[in-house]
């Protein structure tokens, strides 16, 4: 049985002694060899959800050794081992330290993907040393791959959609505010690459629409023209039930997002979705698609949403839930990873 060295983002170990040891050893401490050794949060959110489900799959098929992507160790593989992991920007981290080792029979990247040069251009050097790249990103980025900074590596790149465990995000949106009284919701964080999360666009939209009502939970930023619901917190079913009683439509205006997982969570909770294609979505028929450039078009779309019937919004909510349970399930995600590992 082959050994896969899997590098991704891990939570703390369950064992308190292991946590203490890691704290004093810093990022040079190689983590354990079992997914069950870690204290996984509930509900699982990206990126640790990827670590958990991919790690469990790998353990069912291979011998597995696990490493946090920030570690500064160097893997010492046996001839024929496989490397599968997430490159990090820090050049002294475990993937960079290990990726040139010729004892690996195969070396694969797995991480979020979009067509933004600032976010992905630096991956070129690592991709040159690898045999393939499981690119986690939405249909929009795959459909526009001709604009990718990595287009020269097309034969190495295997696109897959992100996933979410829908049962962990119960359907709580059961009624809507009356027409012309709809309120909008944003949950996300401040971007690091030229406002790739579109916070400025959210502010401009609110400024341009008289009487706009929106609420947000956003790590690292205030959103002008929107009401702050709370600081970032664990979004339990009870919290989301309260939020769903006040807000109607989940709105995301990312400029360059691999595939906003918050949208999948919102679909699970029952919110209709208004978003840019650059949020990572383009093929969902019941989404309301916003523009990065045409704010007048966006304003008209918000007017349309405000005039939709309660019945139509409920139909959209139910359909979105069905889509997230099928197209964006972990079963689909892992079957694609399995196919890649078998065929690459």
């Amino acid at each position: 049985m082959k050994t896969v060295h899997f590098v991704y983002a891990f939570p703390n170990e369950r064992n308190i002694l292991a946590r203490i040891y890691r704290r004093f050893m810093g990022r040079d401490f190689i983590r354990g060899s079992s997914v069950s050794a870690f204290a996984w949060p509930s509900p699982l959110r990206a990126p640790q959800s990827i670590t958990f489900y991919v790690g469990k799959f790998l353990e069912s098929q291979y011998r597995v050794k696990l490493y946090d992507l920030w570690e500064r160790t160097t893997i010492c593989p046996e001839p024929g081992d496989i490397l599968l992991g997430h490159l990090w920007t820090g050049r002294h981290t475990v993937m960079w330290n290990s990726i040139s080792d010729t004892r690996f029979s195969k070396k694969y990247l797995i991480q979020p993907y979009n067509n933004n040069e600032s976010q992905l251009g630096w991956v070129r050097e690592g991709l040159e040393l690898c045999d393939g790249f499981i690119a986690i990103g939405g249909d929009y980025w795959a459909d526009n791959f001709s604009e990718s900074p990595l287009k020269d590596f097309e034969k190495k790149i295997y696109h897959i959609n992100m996933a979410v465990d829908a049962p962990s995000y119960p359907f709580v949106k059961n009624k809507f505010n009356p027409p012309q009284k709809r309120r909008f919701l944003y949950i996300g964080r401040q971007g690091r690459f030229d406002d790739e999360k579109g916070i400025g666009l959210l502010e401009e939209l609110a400024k341009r629409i008289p009487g706009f009502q929106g609420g947000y939970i956003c790590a690292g930023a205030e959103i002008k023209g929107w009401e702050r619901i709370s600081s970032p917190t664990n979004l339990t079913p009870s919290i989301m039930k309260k939020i769903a009683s006040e807000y109607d439509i989940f709105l995301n205006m990312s400029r360059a997002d691999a595939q906003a997982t918050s949208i999948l969570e919102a679909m699970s909770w029952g919110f209709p979705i208004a978003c840019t294609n650059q949020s990572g979505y383009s093929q969902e028929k019941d989404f309301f698609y916003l523009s990065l450039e045409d704010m007048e078009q966006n304003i008209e779309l918000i007017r349309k949403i405000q005039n939709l019937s309660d019945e139509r919004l409920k139909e959209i909510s139910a359909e979105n839930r069905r889509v997230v349970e099928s197209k964006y399930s972990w079963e689909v995600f892992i079957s694609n990873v399995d196919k890649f590992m078998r065929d690459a």
Side-chain angles (χ1 to χ4, degrees):
M1 182 180 288
K2 293 182 179 180
T3 296
V4 174
H5 299 263
F6 179 44
V7 181
Y8 222 84
F10 283 84
N12 288 321
E13 296 86 350
R14 293 184 186 278
N15 187 310
I16 187 63
L17 293 178
R19 294 189 193 184
I20 294 171
Y21 185 58
R22 174 168 170 75
R23 180 175 181 182
F24 284 99
M25 290 296 291
R27 293 178 181 172
D28 294 325
F29 175 50
I30 299 175
R31 289 178 176 263
S33 57
S34 172
V35 170
S36 62
F38 300 91
W40 299 97
S42 180
L44 268 171
R45 305 193 72 198
Q48 291 179 359
S49 57
I50 298 170
T51 315
F52 178 83
Y53 285 101
V54 174
K56 294 292 282 186
F57 158 71
L58 293 173
E59 288 183 343
S60 72
Q61 304 290 324
Y62 308 91
R63 287 190 297 266
V64 181
K65 293 187 177 180
L66 306 174
Y67 310 80
D68 193 285
L69 57 83
W70 281 8
E71 289 183 29
R72 298 185 180 185
T73 191
T74 300
I75 298 171
C76 185
E78 295 293 328
D81 286 359
I82 297 170
L83 178 65
L84 175 67
H86 188 319
L87 275 179
W88 195 244
T89 51
R91 294 304 296 258
H92 299 292
T93 48
V94 58
M95 280 292 287
W96 286 115
N97 291 345
S98 309
I99 203 168
S100 297
D101 198 315
T102 59
R103 288 172 293 182
F104 288 112
S105 62
K106 294 288 184 180
K107 293 173 283 188
Y108 304 125
L109 303 183
I110 177 171
Q111 57 197 83
Y113 170 87
N114 60 40
N115 289 348
N116 183 267
E117 172 71 31
S118 298
Q119 295 181 54
L120 267 296
W122 60 272
V123 174
R124 286 190 198 94
E125 183 179 345
L127 192 49
E128 288 176 350
L129 299 169
C130 288
D131 300 288
F133 178 11
I134 302 175
I136 305 170
D139 298 321
Y140 177 78
W141 305 116
D143 292 343
N144 292 276
F145 188 69
S146 61
E147 302 172 9
S148 171
L150 304 178
K151 62 185 177 182
D152 292 343
F153 299 96
E154 183 175 8
K155 292 182 179 179
K156 288 187 177 183
I157 295 178
Y158 182 67
H159 291 272
I160 66 173
N161 281 298
M162 185 50 188
V164 71
D165 180 41
S168 296
Y169 301 90
F171 195 97
V172 293
K173 185 62 186 170
N174 298 309
K175 63 179 182 178
F176 293 86
N177 285 310
Q180 304 302 321
K181 301 291 185 181
R182 279 31 183 295
R183 306 179 74 193
F184 296 83
L185 172 66
Y186 175 77
I187 299 174
R189 63 174 176 82
Q190 176 71 46
R192 297 183 296 123
F193 301 94
D194 300 320
D195 190 33
E196 86 271 15
K197 296 295 183 179
I199 302 301
L201 292 171
L202 295 176
E203 293 179 337
E204 183 181 354
L205 187 69
K207 183 178 180 180
R208 295 278 296 274
I209 299 177
F212 179 89
Q213 294 187 66
Y216 72 92
I217 300 173
C218 183
E222 295 184 2
I223 305 179
K224 296 176 183 177
W226 292 62
E227 179 183 356
R228 183 172 177 268
I229 297 171
S230 75
S231 58
T233 186
N234 185 22
L235 299 175
T236 63
S238 60
I239 289 175
M240 287 312 306
K241 187 174 182 179
K242 183 177 186 303
I243 290 174
S245 71
E246 300 177 23
Y247 295 92
D248 302 288
I249 313 294
F250 191 87
L251 199 154
N252 188 297
M253 297 190 73
S254 292
R255 298 176 184 273
D257 203 322
Q259 196 167 35
T261 311
S262 57
I263 288 177
L264 298 180
E265 295 167 358
M267 291 168 71
S268 300
W269 287 318
F271 291 95
I273 307 297
C275 69
T276 55
N277 290 146
Q278 292 79 5
S279 299
Y281 300 87
S282 59
Q283 296 183 10
E284 279 53 63
K285 66 182 181 67
D286 283 320
F287 277 23
F288 302 100
Y289 289 110
L290 298 161
S291 169
L292 292 181
E293 294 85 19
D294 192 339
M295 194 56 67
E296 290 301 322
Q297 175 184 315
N298 295 337
I299 293 169
E300 184 58 36
L301 186 60
I302 297 302
R303 289 197 187 104
K304 176 182 175 181
I305 293 171
Q306 288 285 18
N307 287 314
L308 287 176
S309 68
D310 188 85
E311 291 73 19
R312 178 59 186 138
L313 290 176
K314 286 181 178 179
E315 289 173 358
I316 291 171
S317 294
E319 178 60 23
N320 283 349
R321 177 73 185 202
R322 285 191 290 271
V323 169
V324 82
E325 289 175 337
S326 54
K327 179 177 178 179
Y328 296 104
S329 71
W330 283 109
E331 288 78 13
V332 171
F333 185 100
I334 293 302
S335 70
N336 283 320
V337 173
D338 186 22
K339 183 178 186 301
F340 173 86
M341 296 289 286
R342 292 178 186 276
D343 296 346

